[in-house]
Amino acid sequence: MLKPVKNHIHLILLLLIVLGLGGKFLWNLEYNTGYTPDQPIPFSHKLHAGDYKMDCLYCHASAEKGPHATIPPMNVCLGCHSVIAVTKDNIKKMTQMYNDGEVMPWVRVHRLPDHVYFNHKWHLNAGVTCQECHGPVETMAVVGQVMRLEMGDCLACHRKRDKSDAWLALQDSLGTGGYPVMEYKSYPYLKYISRATLWSAEAAGELPAVKAAPAKSATGVFPEQNALTQCSTCHQ
């Protein structure tokens, strides 16, 4: 009698292990954490951003100007590699593609759902570093996705973040530029808009002239928070 019972226990344990592994697989099925695709030409962020200390914005210049970081065009690469490492096979391949008018088919690593709006400019202006979302890219020989980049990650960061040095510096610059600083603290979303945009909006009479914010608004936004958490912030 003991042997069948022992076999049943083993079978139940095996079934629980299979269910656990299967559940973990299904839980992570729609997330690309760990996704590290091969690229048409090996590009080491460890070498460029890590060893040579190249600024992320040198290649991803659009990140501080608009919603997308974008992949750099080949003329940016050849700005250096027209004189550096020109005898290497991969550089020769890239140079030939450029001369033939072709585009490098880089494989995209990070992608958010189509219904989510994420603006790189807003976050960079608020003092968020690239590594906070993309991980220690300067250590990666091959770039892969580190964070899940799900809604919970965004909300957790928005809720815990204090006012950044970049935002405080922007407040100071707005104040010295003729803006009443406290007025803009009443509207947290304004901290992600460039000064030029603020000036244009004020000139058009589009900014409300409210001097103080309530302790807590109906939307759940605290005045001391550095970022909004309403649905419409990302789901526009």
Side-chain angles (χ1 to χ4, degrees), residues 12-144:
I12 291 172
L13 289 175
L14 179 61
L15 181 61
L16 289 174
I17 292 173
V18 171
L19 289 174
L21 292 175
K24 182 179 180 181
F25 172 78
L26 292 174
W27 180 261
N28 292 287
L29 190 60
E30 294 186 2
Y31 298 97
N32 287 336
T33 305
Y35 177 54
T36 310
D38 292 329
Q39 299 293 347
I41 286 182
F43 179 89
S44 173
H45 280 74
K46 180 182 182 301
L47 176 65
H48 292 79
D51 297 344
Y52 294 151
K53 309 297 182 186
M54 291 180 62
D55 193 294
C56 300
L57 294 175
Y58 181 80
C59 296
H60 303 284
S62 299
E64 66 174 348
K65 301 175 182 177
H68 306 294
T70 69
I71 296 174
M74 280 195 290
N75 66 300
V76 173
C77 306
L78 290 172
C80 294
H81 285 295
S82 59
V83 293
I84 298 175
V86 293
T87 60
K88 290 187 175 182
D89 291 340
N90 287 324
I91 304 303
K92 288 181 178 178
K93 177 182 177 180
M94 180 173 62
T95 303
Q96 186 62 50
M97 291 179 65
Y98 178 76
N99 292 334
D100 292 342
E102 299 179 25
V103 177
M104 185 65 66
W106 299 110
V107 180
R108 184 170 181 172
V109 178
H110 302 89
R111 183 186 297 274
L112 294 176
D114 291 340
H115 62 273
V116 176
Y117 181 76
F118 179 90
N119 191 307
H120 278 80
K121 173 185 174 181
W122 294 353
H123 291 79
L124 284 176
N125 287 342
V128 179
T129 65
C130 304
Q131 289 80 358
E132 291 186 59
C133 296
H134 296 289
V137 179
E138 71 280 2
T139 67
M140 300 179 188
V142 181
V143 169

Side-chain angles (χ1 to χ4, degrees), residues 184-199:
Y184 296 97
K185 289 185 178 179
S186 304
Y187 297 89
Y189 63 88
L190 292 179
K191 64 172 63 64
Y192 301 115
I193 305 176
S194 67
R195 263 183 294 164
T197 304
L198 287 173
W199 291 337

Side-chain angles (χ1 to χ4, degrees), residues 173-184:
S173 65
L174 290 176
T176 56
Y179 284 96
V181 175
M182 287 303 298
E183 179 175 337
Y184 296 97

